[in-house]
Coordinates of all heavy atoms in Angstrom, one line a residue:
D974 N 93.3 -49.4 -20.1 CA 93.8 -48.0 -19.6 C 94.3 -48.1 -18.3 O 94.1 -48.8 -17.5 CB 92.7 -47.1 -19.8 CG 92.3 -46.8 -21.3 OD1 92.6 -47.5 -22.3 OD2 91.6 -45.7 -21.4
N975 N 95.2 -47.0 -18.2 CA 95.7 -46.6 -16.8 C 96.8 -47.5 -16.2 O 97.2 -47.2 -15.2 CB 94.6 -46.5 -15.8 CG 93.5 -45.5 -16.1 OD1 93.4 -45.0 -17.4 ND2 92.7 -45.2 -15.2
G976 N 97.3 -48.5 -16.9 CA 98.5 -49.2 -16.5 C 99.8 -48.6 -17.1 O 99.6 -47.4 -17.5
F999 N 96.6 -48.3 -23.4 CA 96.7 -46.9 -23.4 C 97.5 -46.6 -21.9 O 96.8 -46.7 -20.8 CB 95.5 -46.1 -23.5 CG 95.0 -46.1 -24.8 CD1 94.2 -47.0 -25.3 CD2 95.5 -45.2 -25.7 CE1 93.7 -47.0 -26.6 CE2 95.1 -45.2 -27.1 CZ 94.3 -46.0 -27.5
V1001 N 99.7 -44.8 -18.9 CA 99.9 -43.5 -18.1 C 101.5 -43.4 -18.0 O 102.2 -44.3 -17.4 CB 99.4 -43.5 -16.7 CG1 99.6 -42.4 -16.0 CG2 97.7 -43.5 -17.1
H1026 N 98.4 -42.3 -22.8 CA 97.1 -41.8 -22.0 C 97.5 -40.7 -21.0 O 97.0 -40.8 -19.7 CB 96.5 -43.1 -21.3 CG 95.1 -43.0 -20.8 ND1 94.1 -42.2 -21.4 CD2 94.5 -43.4 -19.6 CE1 93.1 -42.3 -20.7 NE2 93.2 -43.0 -19.6
T1027 N 98.3 -39.9 -21.4 CA 98.8 -38.7 -20.6 C 99.9 -39.2 -19.5 O 100.0 -40.4 -19.2 CB 97.8 -37.9 -19.8 OG1 97.3 -38.6 -18.6 CG2 96.6 -37.5 -20.7
H1030 N 97.5 -38.6 -15.8 CA 96.0 -38.9 -15.6 C 95.4 -37.9 -14.7 O 94.5 -38.4 -13.8 CB 95.8 -40.4 -15.3 CG 94.5 -41.0 -15.7 ND1 93.4 -40.9 -15.1 CD2 94.2 -41.7 -16.8 CE1 92.5 -41.5 -15.8 NE2 92.9 -42.0 -16.8
R1065 N 94.9 -41.2 -26.2 CA 93.6 -41.5 -25.7 C 93.6 -40.3 -24.7 O 94.4 -40.5 -23.6 CB 93.2 -42.6 -25.2 CG 91.9 -42.8 -24.5 CD 91.4 -44.1 -24.1 NE 90.8 -44.7 -25.2 CZ 90.5 -46.0 -25.3 NH1 90.8 -46.7 -24.3 NH2 89.8 -46.5 -26.3
P1066 N 92.7 -39.2 -24.7 CA 92.5 -38.2 -23.6 C 91.9 -38.9 -22.4 O 91.1 -39.9 -22.6 CB 91.8 -37.2 -24.2 CG 90.9 -37.7 -25.2 CD 91.8 -38.9 -25.8
N1067 N 92.1 -38.5 -21.1 CA 91.4 -39.0 -20.0 C 90.2 -38.1 -19.6 O 90.3 -37.0 -19.9 CB 92.3 -39.3 -18.8 CG 92.8 -37.9 -18.3 OD1 93.5 -37.3 -18.9 ND2 92.4 -37.6 -17.0
G1068 N 89.1 -38.7 -19.2 CA 87.9 -37.7 -18.9 C 86.7 -38.5 -18.3 O 85.6 -38.3 -18.6
S1069 N 87.1 -39.5 -17.4 CA 86.1 -40.1 -16.5 C 85.2 -41.0 -17.4 O 84.1 -41.3 -17.0 CB 85.3 -39.2 -15.7 OG 86.2 -38.4 -14.9
G1070 N 85.6 -41.4 -18.6 CA 84.7 -42.3 -19.4 C 83.6 -41.5 -20.0 O 82.8 -42.0 -20.9
W1095 N 86.3 -43.8 -27.3 CA 85.8 -45.1 -27.0 C 84.2 -45.0 -27.3 O 83.6 -44.0 -27.5 CB 86.0 -45.3 -25.5 CG 85.5 -44.1 -24.6 CD1 84.3 -43.8 -24.3 CD2 86.3 -43.0 -24.3 NE1 84.3 -42.6 -23.6 CE2 85.5 -42.2 -23.5 CE3 87.7 -42.8 -24.3 CZ2 85.9 -40.9 -23.0 CZ3 88.2 -41.6 -23.8 CH2 87.3 -40.7 -23.2
V1126 N 86.5 -50.0 -23.1 CA 87.6 -49.6 -22.2 C 87.5 -50.3 -20.7 O 86.6 -50.2 -20.1 CB 87.5 -48.1 -21.9 CG1 88.7 -47.6 -21.0 CG2 87.5 -47.2 -23.2
L1127 N 88.6 -51.1 -20.6 CA 88.6 -51.7 -19.2 C 90.0 -51.3 -18.6 O 90.8 -50.6 -19.4 CB 88.7 -53.3 -19.3 CG 87.2 -53.8 -20.0 CD1 87.5 -55.3 -20.2 CD2 86.3 -53.6 -18.9
H1128 N 90.2 -51.5 -17.4 CA 91.5 -51.0 -16.7 C 92.3 -52.1 -15.9 O 91.7 -52.9 -15.2 CB 91.0 -50.0 -15.7 CG 90.2 -48.8 -16.3 ND1 88.8 -48.9 -16.5 CD2 90.5 -47.5 -16.7 CE1 88.5 -47.8 -17.2 NE2 89.4 -46.9 -17.2
Ligands
ZN913 ZN1 92.0 -43.4 -18.0

Side-chain angles (χ1 to χ4, degrees):
D974 286 13
N975 298 14
F999 285 96
V1001 172
H1026 193 40
T1027 75
H1030 207 274
R1065 171 176 279 169
N1067 66 297
S1069 309
W1095 53 79
V1126 182
L1127 298 168
H1128 299 82

